[in-house]
Amino acid sequence: GNDGFFIVHDVNPAWLRVSALLRGLGVDHLAPFIPGVKKHPKRADALVLGSDPSRILIGMLHLLGFRKRVEAERVLMIRRAEHEPHTPAEEASLPSRAGGD
């Protein structure tokens, strides 16, 4: 029913300080200039990544505050975790890869 669990692990406080510094400097607004990363066409809080992004890229975006992932048809959307919860409509809002990027 409503049972759930969380997988928790320690986070080095240094990484939290780095994340706060980068976000405080506004570096998160430069994310769409990273190769393979685009602004979501309809959501200001989300980015669209090309197929099969590297773990390093995902880690960098995580430091910049992007955490929630929605995958559909070889497209990955990553967005800020503090916004509204995931809905099925988000998957429908993902841009299609069929149109040729």
Side-chain angles (χ1 to χ4, degrees):
N2 294 332
D3 294 345
F5 65 93
F6 295 93
I7 299 174
V8 179
H9 58 88
D10 290 331
V11 175
N12 186 332
W15 285 116
L16 296 175
R17 287 191 292 274
V18 168
S19 178
L21 175 68
L22 292 173
R23 292 171 74 181
L25 292 172
V27 174
D28 53 326
H29 296 336
L30 300 176
F33 297 102
I34 299 171
V37 178
K38 291 190 231 176
K39 288 182 182 179
H40 189 282
K42 298 178 184 173
R43 297 182 60 102
D45 66 334
L47 300 172
V48 177
L49 309 181
S51 61
D52 199 27
S54 70
R55 291 182 69 164
I56 293 171
L57 177 60
I58 297 291
M60 284 177 29
L61 293 173
H62 189 82
L63 277 175
L64 296 177
F66 295 92
R67 288 174 173 73
K68 293 195 82 169
R69 295 171 54 157
V70 179
E71 298 181 53
E73 296 184 28
R74 297 183 3 204
V75 176
L76 174 67
M77 179 179 75
I78 188 166
R79 66 184 181 88
R80 296 190 186 278
E82 60 265 12
H83 292 277
E84 71 274 1
H86 166 70
T87 64
E90 285 179 335
E91 289 186 27
S93 75
L94 285 170
S96 172
R97 297 288 289 171
D101 253 337

